[in-house]
C-alpha cells in the first residue's frame, strides 16, 4: 500500500513494508533496517491516479547527502549518508536503508518503536521537478 502527502514543494510516499530493529552487538548501537520504497507495486489511489516506482527511479540521487528523519522532521535526524550513519542500497525489492540510531531522544524512541513492531510503514520524500504522466486503459 502506498499513500501520498504533499507539503509545499515536497511530496512524500508511504509504503507498507517490514521495518526491523537490530539492537546491535557489543559496543554497537541500535539500527533500523527497512525499505523506503518498493519497486513495481501499484500504489493506492493518490487522488485519481496511481503510481508505480520503477527500477532506476533513485539512481540519480544515490550519491546525494540523504538524511534519515524521524517522521520527516528535519529537527530529528536519525542518520545521514554523508556521515556514514545512513546507508542506502538498491536491490530487486527497492530502496533499502540501514540507519545507525543516535543516542538521542528521537533515536531511542525510534529504536523502542521498531523493537516493539510498531512501525508498519516506511517512506521517502522528494521534490517533483519533472512529471511524466502515462494514462493506461
Amino acid at each position: 500500500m502506498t499513500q501520498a502527502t504533499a507539503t509545499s514543494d515536497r511530496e512524500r510516499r508511504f509504503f507498507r513494508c517490514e521495518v526491523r530493529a537490530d539492537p546491535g552487538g557489543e559496543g554497537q548501537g541500535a539500527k533500523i533496517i527497512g525499505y523506503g520504497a518498493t519497486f513495481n507495486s501499484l500504489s493506492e489511489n493518490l487522488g485519481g491516479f496511481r503510481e508505480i516506482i520503477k527500477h532506476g527511479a533513485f539512481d540519480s540521487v544515490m550519491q546525494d547527502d540523504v538524511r534519515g528523519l524521524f517522521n520527516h522532521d528535519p529537527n530529528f535526524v536519525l542518520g545521514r549518508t554523508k556521515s556514514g550513519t545512513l546507508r542506502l542500497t538498491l536491490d530487486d525489492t527497492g530502496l533499502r536503508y540501514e540507519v545507525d540510531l543516535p543516542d538521542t531522544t528521537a533515536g531511542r524512541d525510534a529504536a523502542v518503536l521498531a523493537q516493539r513492531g510498531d512501525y508498519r510503514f516506511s517512506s521517502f520524500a522528494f521534490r517533483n521537478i519533472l512529471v511524466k504522466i502515462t494514462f493506461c486503459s
Side-chain angles (χ1 to χ4, degrees):
M1 177 171 81
T2 305
Q3 298 174 329
T5 60
T7 55
S8 63
D9 65 336
R10 213 171 41 145
E11 293 192 38
R12 292 184 275 177
R13 297 295 185 268
F14 300 85
F15 294 86
R16 182 179 297 277
C17 64
E18 177 189 10
V19 178
R20 64 183 178 87
D22 178 348
E26 183 74 26
Q28 295 180 333
K31 297 178 185 179
I32 293 181
I33 301 164
Y35 282 88
T38 54
F39 297 136
N40 300 316
S41 20
L42 195 59
S43 73
E44 295 293 315
N45 186 327
L46 300 174
F49 67 95
R50 296 174 76 172
E51 294 178 330
I52 295 176
I53 298 175
K54 297 289 189 181
H55 286 272
F58 299 101
D59 289 353
S60 66
V61 299
M62 290 302 290
Q63 300 305 314
D64 290 358
D65 183 20
V66 178
R67 295 175 295 155
L69 306 175
F70 187 74
N71 289 329
H72 289 268
D73 188 330
N75 295 304
F76 300 109
V77 177
L78 298 177
R80 192 173 193 150
T81 55
K82 186 175 182 177
S83 68
T85 55
L86 170 65
R87 289 164 301 287
L88 302 174
T89 54
L90 297 170
D91 61 24
D92 289 339
T93 301
L95 177 65
R96 183 180 184 276
Y97 63 84
E98 184 174 325
V99 61
D100 302 328
L101 295 173
D103 187 16
T104 62
T105 302
R108 290 186 298 274
D109 288 351
V112 168
L113 293 169
Q115 288 167 356
R116 292 183 349 176
D118 290 341
Y119 289 135
R120 296 286 184 238
F121 291 89
S122 279
S123 58
F124 69 96
F126 64 97
R127 287 189 172 78
N128 201 349
I129 297 170
L130 174 66
V131 176
K132 178 181 177 183
I133 300 175
T134 304
F135 293 96
C136 303
S137 55

